[in-house]
Amino acid sequence: MMKLKALLASGTIALACLATPASHAAGALTVALHQDPGNWDPVATFLVSWGAVGSQIFDGLIVRTPDMKLVPGLATKWEFLEKNTKLRFTLRQGVKFHNGEPFDAEAVKFTFDRLLGDEGKKGPQQSNYTSIEKVVVVNPTTVDFILKSPDPVLLTKLAGYGAMIVPPKYVKEKGSQFFGANPVGTGPFKFVEYKPKISLALEKNPSYWGGAPKVDSLTYRFIAEPATQAAELQAGRVDVANQIPLSMIETIRKDPKLGVVSMDGPVALALRYNTKRGIMQNRDVRKALTMAVDRDAIIKTILLGQAKPIASFQGTLSFGNDPALKPLPFNPAQAQALLKKAGVKPGTAIQLDFRGPDSNFREVAQAVAGYLQAVGITVTLKPYETNVLLNDIIPNGKTGEMWQNQWGGWTFDYDNTAYAMYYTKQRWNPFDDDAKLNALLHQQRNTWDQAARKQTLQEIARYVADQALEMPLYSLNTVYGVNKRAHDLALPADGRFRFVDARVD
């Protein structure tokens, strides 16, 4: 007893309890994410890291399963009417938001009025839903989406991101800023606490319409460095790591308590060219730089085979991918000849902007700089904090000659990528204004004919390649590090976790 009192007095026992990894608590699941999106409002962001959380807190009218099937969510059924100009949803009854507010047709209308209105204009999601003219309440359990143009990807879009249904009364009373930091939805987990750039704590929603989750709590930790994610996974403080250094895959696999899951994913990476700056205004120069880089070698040596080469800014699973379109070959001699013909002097300097915390890509950027140095181009690598690059440098046209362009492609449809990347004045297109490209993008978006649309999407990919707007690099495998104490995680290729059935030993 005397020893126990001494330990209590010194705080040793308390410290020991604090040192126990939180992820080892009964019924608790802990996930590492590489990025804090900074706002949990569905209309405010485009980031995959938001999607990794959004489907825990919110529901859409439709749910997309990890095997890519569209199934009922907050809507039990849907049908197109009046020659595809009206989309009618029958809504699930008896559902409540986490604050007790009822889910009904008015909540759906409020969500889309907000998304398509002034609030939606402030974020990047609105452009994905411009085919919707308005939402009309038919009765408390039925809504009609009146469409002003076709949108062959609309049902998939309604399964995520900006289309997640929000509580009208709560948003009106608290305001968008408060809502963005204290989200309320109808999803399987409820908001508990948000510490910006540190963590997000959720607890299970016992009244969830799809059945209560099997874990009691879900914690996201924001860990930018893949190596730190891996270390936390190895220490048992994280159950799922969404980014680990590829060089550590085999080490993690050899740990009897851990595992690695790798699958084809939608994330594509390219180096986008600033076509308004210096030598990048010349298409042949852009092609030369692309030919100067051995992308196959980068995939093999740096990415350890956890990626596939691409000829356009999409993966092989993307609708619109053209297998006949081949990447420009690695040919440094021809690259030098093109640069000489264009009058580019040896030693010409350019800047490559990239996401600083991404250690995997940092190695890729260094390799690219080395290849370009070999053909006479001096590259300065400029790392940025990820949110600064994505929210300021790129959309405001402040980039160097090249920048890291990375896209989640969560719809697995080239439309969602191509329109955002290449249409005039879109957020990710600060420099290019191409009438032909705009027309093609409109053409594929304004038809329900999927065969015709696929042809147009492939034509867009060929045109972008011909104009050399970017240096296509690769599509990444989706790779997770996992603690084997966690089961039934249903890990998705698109990074959008939904841990309803997950359990922990």
Side-chain angles (χ1 to χ4, degrees):
M1 182 64 70
M2 292 289 289
K3 182 179 276 189
L4 177 59
K5 287 181 178 179
L7 286 171
L8 284 170
S10 68
T12 304
I13 288 180
L15 288 172
C17 291
L18 287 173
T20 301
S23 60
H24 283 177
L29 183 68
T30 303
V31 179
L33 290 183
H34 66 286
Q35 184 179 8
D36 176 1
N39 192 324
W40 302 108
D41 188 335
V43 306
T45 187
F46 58 89
L47 296 172
V48 173
S49 55
W50 187 96
V53 176
S55 294
Q56 318 288 4
I57 300 172
F58 300 99
D59 291 307
L61 296 173
I62 300 171
V63 171
R64 190 176 72 185
T65 63
D67 60 358
M68 308 294 290
K69 293 179 181 176
L70 296 176
V71 299
L74 289 176
T76 57
K77 66 177 182 179
W78 54 89
E79 58 181 331
F80 283 93
L81 304 171
E82 299 178 14
K83 297 182 179 180
N84 295 328
T85 61
K86 181 186 292 185
L87 177 55
R88 173 164 291 179
F89 287 94
T90 301
L91 306 181
R92 195 175 295 277
Q93 299 184 46
V95 177
K96 290 188 176 182
F97 290 96
H98 300 151
N99 64 338
E101 196 173 330
F103 161 75
D104 55 17
E106 291 293 344
V108 178
K109 177 174 171 54
F110 173 83
T111 295
F112 284 90
D113 285 352
R114 182 173 181 265
L115 170 61
L116 299 172
D118 291 340
E119 194 63 36
K121 276 183 185 176
K122 300 174 185 177
Q125 283 293 330
Q126 190 179 83
S127 64
N128 281 327
Y129 303 91
T130 53
S131 64
I132 303 169
E133 180 179 344
K134 60 181 177 180
V135 172
V136 176
V137 174
V138 177
N139 58 52
T141 60
T142 310
V143 293
D144 286 342
F145 282 55
I146 309 303
L147 306 179
K148 58 185 176 184
S149 62
D151 183 351
V153 198
L154 181 59
L155 291 179
T156 297
K157 293 175 185 175
L158 293 177
Y161 290 89
M164 296 298 203
I165 306 302
V166 303
K169 183 179 179 182
Y170 181 82
V171 175
K172 289 176 185 175
E173 289 181 353
K174 301 292 187 180
S176 293
Q177 185 174 353
F178 183 88
F179 175 58
N182 302 269
V184 166
T186 61
F189 290 91
K190 299 191 292 184
F191 171 78
V192 175
E193 183 181 32
Y194 173 44
K195 297 178 181 178
K197 297 186 178 182
I198 299 173
S199 64
L200 174 73
L202 308 176
E203 64 183 5
K204 75 175 180 181
N205 176 8
S207 303
Y208 185 54
W209 59 264
K214 294 179 175 60
V215 295
D216 296 320
S217 66
L218 173 59
T219 300
Y220 288 91
R221 293 178 55 199
F222 306 116
I223 303 174
E225 283 287 351
T228 307
Q229 284 201 22
E232 292 297 281
L233 181 71
Q234 291 173 309
R237 290 187 287 268
V238 161
D239 295 307
V240 180
N242 86 323
Q243 283 194 3
I244 55 176
L246 300 179
S247 60
M248 291 190 66
I249 286 178
E250 289 308 312
T251 300
I252 292 171
R253 278 181 173 150
K254 290 176 182 177
D255 189 322
K257 295 180 180 179
L258 306 178
V260 174
V261 178
S262 177
M263 66 193 83
D264 283 348
V267 176
L269 284 96
L271 290 174
R272 185 74 177 265
Y273 294 122
N274 180 343
T275 57
K276 302 300 183 189
R277 182 163 170 167
I279 62 172
M280 297 305 179
Q281 297 175 72
N282 187 318
R283 180 180 65 169
D284 286 344
V285 169
R286 301 194 297 267
K287 286 189 174 184
L289 299 193
T290 301
M291 296 174 74
V293 176
D294 190 344
R295 286 147 285 161
D296 288 333
I298 287 173
I299 291 170
K300 182 179 179 180
T301 60
I302 297 177
L303 304 178
L304 305 179
Q306 296 290 335
K308 294 180 175 61
I310 55 175
S312 58
F313 197 40
Q314 58 185 323
T316 57
L317 299 178
S318 170
F319 183 84
N321 183 61
D322 184 359
L325 181 62
K326 303 300 181 185
L328 282 173
F330 172 54
N331 192 329
Q334 188 174 349
Q336 283 183 307
L338 285 172
L339 291 171
K340 184 176 181 180
K341 185 178 179 181
V344 178
K345 297 179 180 179
T348 296
I350 64 172
Q351 178 177 300
L352 192 166
D353 303 331
F354 68 101
R355 304 181 185 190
D358 187 344
S359 60
N360 287 329
F361 192 82
R362 188 183 306 130
E363 291 188 50
V364 173
Q366 289 167 348
V368 168
Y371 282 117
L372 295 185
Q373 182 72 42
V375 297
I377 302 296
T378 301
V379 180
T380 298
L381 299 179
K382 187 168 177 87
Y384 283 98
E385 195 277 322
T386 301
N387 284 343
V388 172
L389 181 65
L390 299 183
N391 294 320
D392 180 21
I393 302 302
I394 296 173
N396 291 316
K398 299 177 181 178
T399 71
E401 284 79 5
M402 305 169 71
W403 76 88
Q404 177 188 359
N405 205 23
Q406 180 171 323
W407 194 246
W410 76 276
T411 61
F412 288 89
D413 192 297
Y414 190 44
D415 162 82
N416 179 248
T417 300
Y419 197 93
M421 295 298 120
Y422 312 125
Y423 195 80
T424 299
K425 293 185 179 179
Q426 284 295 299
R427 182 184 183 92
W428 309 116
N429 180 26
F431 304 115
D432 298 304
D433 183 3
D434 190 314
K436 180 177 180 179
L437 198 47
N438 288 347
L440 288 170
L441 289 163
H442 269 301
Q443 180 180 322
Q444 64 83 27
R445 205 169 244 205
N446 284 278
T447 179
W448 297 106
D449 185 335
Q450 296 287 17
R453 198 170 73 85
K454 188 172 186 177
Q455 289 183 354
T456 305
L457 287 172
Q458 291 178 341
E459 184 179 352
I460 290 169
R462 290 192 296 270
Y463 184 78
V464 169
D466 180 65
Q467 295 299 307
L469 298 183
E470 63 210 0
M471 179 194 298
L473 292 174
Y474 46 79
S475 64
L476 278 173
N477 285 9
T478 300
V479 180
Y480 301 109
V482 296
N483 189 314
K484 290 180 180 178
R485 71 185 285 272
H487 307 278
D488 300 323
L489 296 171
L491 296 173
D494 64 0
R496 296 176 63 217
F497 300 123
R498 193 169 168 84
F499 293 124
V500 182
D501 295 319
R503 54 190 177 85
V504 290
D505 294 337

